[in-house]
Amino acid sequence: MNQPATKVLVIGYVWPEPRSSAAGGHMMQILQSFLDQGWDITFSSPATIGEHKADLPALGIHECAIELNSSSFDDFVCELAPDIVLFDRFMMEEQFGWRVEKYCPNALRVLETSDLQSLRDARQQRLKDYLKHDPAADDFSPLFAPALDEEFQRMADTDLAKREIAAIYRCDISLVISDVEIRLLTEHFKVPSTLLHWCPLMLDPPTAPFASFEKRAHFLSIGNFRHAPNWDAVLWMKNSVWPLIRQQLPGAQLHIYGAYTPPKATALHNPTQGFHVMNWAEDALQVLTAARICLAPLRFGAGIKGKLMDAMLCGTPNVTTPIGAEGMGGDHPWPGMIENSASALATAAVALYQDQERWTQAQEDGRRLLARRYAQDIHGPALVERLEHCRSELALHRRTNFTGSMLRHHLHKSTQYMAQWIEAKNRNV
């Protein structure tokens, strides 16, 4: 007799948009790993639907809109009776974790961290402080090379870090996209490694020939404008990096693509300076394949960068910062160049743009890096195996995580009462 398919409920912070953000792409890769197992997946979210949402029903994934602070979720989750519940980012665990534990206590609770938001926010604040001290700064080496202990010191007293780390403890398994962030969590926040699983971006490495150096032209930058690190990178390019490139290559053109382009971004469009704000790319891989260099001058951020993965998929060498490359290369050669200052980034970009031999080597370095570190057929099965193993020993696994049990007891009680108060208040409005 066949066993019933494993039921998975995903509670999304947003509906996935794989062509708008790396987080959306990563969610789709996780869902594909579950589909490959024949699992029965329901994706739910309290968010409004964005214009670039993935067609989940076409993949055989059920969809259900849910409400915050509403007992309608209790009825929904009871009827669904999932075996695994995946919270997309810690805010969803805070909102719905107590309800899942109350009505589906034996469901495996999984947290998709996407990236550590508390790390990203701490780095953003550090950049603001740095610029406040030196508004004309060119070299950001002090920001790009702190020891993990220094990162911990900046994060440890923040409410955001306390909320995020607590959610990791409350879940049975947390998916972490960057091995650098796993080191930060285990070595400095002292999170047990048994609660974490390295789950990077997952894809099928390219095997076909790439478009050649001669068939490509121009520089390209891409990323969701709603994501603060991307917007900061655009401003840094506009004000510092791009003028230095144009001094050395007067005819150079930069095309900037991004989802949800705000008026403040389109206002930067200046064809006479070769600075083109292009709005959303219908096919990001197509525009990347036509470009010679991908620019990603990120001054803060966390996780790993989908734009650089896409560039490697297209055979497009990149020029970025240590923040951009963090957690991505491992011990492998970087498929491009990494620099710390606007002047060094500009010099590297011009050199790579003109040097066909170095450019071709970077292109092949990207192909090898994807194959050795990001293959879907390795990480997808490893993820499924880890979840199934945890499910098989769930009682023991939870017993060894007393800190998580204690945090669930205290937070879920307070969260439950607050949610019930809000729901009652809404009924009386």
Side-chain angles (χ1 to χ4, degrees), residues 243-263:
L244 296 173
I245 292 176
R246 287 276 288 190
Q247 285 178 12
Q248 300 173 68
L249 289 177
Q253 306 293 311
L254 171 62
H255 298 145
I256 300 175
Y257 293 88
Y260 302 105
T261 310

Side-chain angles (χ1 to χ4, degrees), residues 34-349:
F34 296 166
L35 288 171
D36 290 344
Q37 296 299 309
W39 290 359
D40 184 1
I41 306 170
T42 299
F43 195 101
S44 64
S45 178
T48 56
I49 293 178
E51 58 186 283
H52 307 307
K53 172 187 163 295
D55 187 356
L56 299 179
L59 300 173
I61 297 173
H62 314 291
E63 293 183 347
C64 184
I66 54 177
E67 296 180 52
L68 299 173
N69 303 308
S70 172
S71 57
S72 61
F73 179 84
D74 306 342
D75 298 331
F76 161 69
V77 79
C78 279
E79 183 177 351
L80 185 64
D83 303 297
I84 299 173
V85 177
L86 188 149
F87 303 100
D88 174 26
R89 284 168 268 196
F90 76 91
M91 297 82 81
M92 293 297 96
E93 189 278 336
E94 288 181 330
Q95 286 284 342
F96 295 99
W98 70 270
R99 295 182 186 274
V100 169
E101 180 169 17
K102 182 175 181 178
Y103 296 102
C104 300
N106 296 321
L108 183 73
R109 297 185 289 270
V110 184
L111 176 63
E112 155 63 340
T113 62
S114 185
D115 62 10
L116 289 181
Q117 186 176 328
S118 52
L119 173 60
R120 174 166 28 101
D121 280 26
R123 287 174 167 173
Q124 183 175 13
Q125 185 58 52
R126 188 172 64 203
L127 174 62
K128 290 178 180 178
D129 295 342
Y130 193 80
L131 291 173
K132 191 178 297 182
H133 174 72
D134 183 4
D138 173 73
D139 187 355
F140 293 88
S141 301
L143 301 189
F144 295 155
L148 287 180
D149 181 62
E150 183 181 336
E151 302 278 25
F152 168 73
Q153 297 298 332
R154 282 189 165 271
M155 297 167 64
D157 291 333
T158 66
D159 288 345
L160 194 60
K162 292 169 185 174
R163 290 171 57 196
E164 194 164 27
I165 305 305
I168 289 172
Y169 268 105
R170 288 193 297 266
C171 289
D172 299 311
I173 292 286
S174 289
L175 311 183
V176 185
I177 203 168
S178 164
D179 52 3
V180 171
E181 292 179 9
I182 286 184
R183 284 176 47 214
L184 177 64
L185 290 170
T186 56
E187 295 175 12
H188 298 281
F189 285 96
K190 306 303 180 184
V191 176
S193 60
T194 52
L195 299 181
L196 306 175
H197 179 77
W198 181 46
C199 185
L201 293 175
M202 303 177 282
L203 43 83
D204 296 321
T207 55
F210 290 132
S212 66
F213 180 87
E214 298 89 345
K215 292 182 179 179
R216 296 168 178 254
H218 308 317
F219 296 84
L220 178 141
S221 183
I222 193 165
N224 191 326
F225 285 108
R226 289 179 175 175
H227 192 50
N230 293 338
W231 175 238
D232 177 75
V234 169
L235 292 177
W236 196 30
M237 280 190 290
K238 174 69 173 179
N239 298 323
S240 300
V241 180
W242 187 245
L244 296 173
I245 292 176
R246 287 276 288 190
Q247 285 178 12
Q248 300 173 68
L249 289 177
Q253 306 293 311
L254 171 62
H255 298 145
I256 300 175
Y257 293 88
Y260 302 105
T261 310
K264 64 181 180 180
T266 54
L268 301 178
H269 180 71
N270 192 327
T272 61
Q273 297 176 354
F275 198 90
H276 306 269
V277 179
M278 309 294 290
N279 209 328
W280 187 66
E282 185 69 32
D283 186 337
L285 299 185
Q286 183 179 44
V287 296
L288 275 164
T289 297
R292 189 175 290 179
I293 301 291
C294 174
L295 291 179
L298 295 157
R299 293 192 289 187
F300 69 95
I304 59 179
K305 312 306 179 290
K307 59 177 68 63
L308 297 181
M309 295 285 287
D310 286 345
M312 290 181 231
L313 272 174
C314 299
T316 308
N318 70 79
V319 176
T320 190
T321 64
I323 290 291
E326 181 182 81
M328 296 194 69
D331 297 327
H332 305 290
W334 184 251
M337 302 181 77
I338 304 169
E339 299 293 350
N340 293 298
S341 67
S343 53
L345 284 162
T347 299

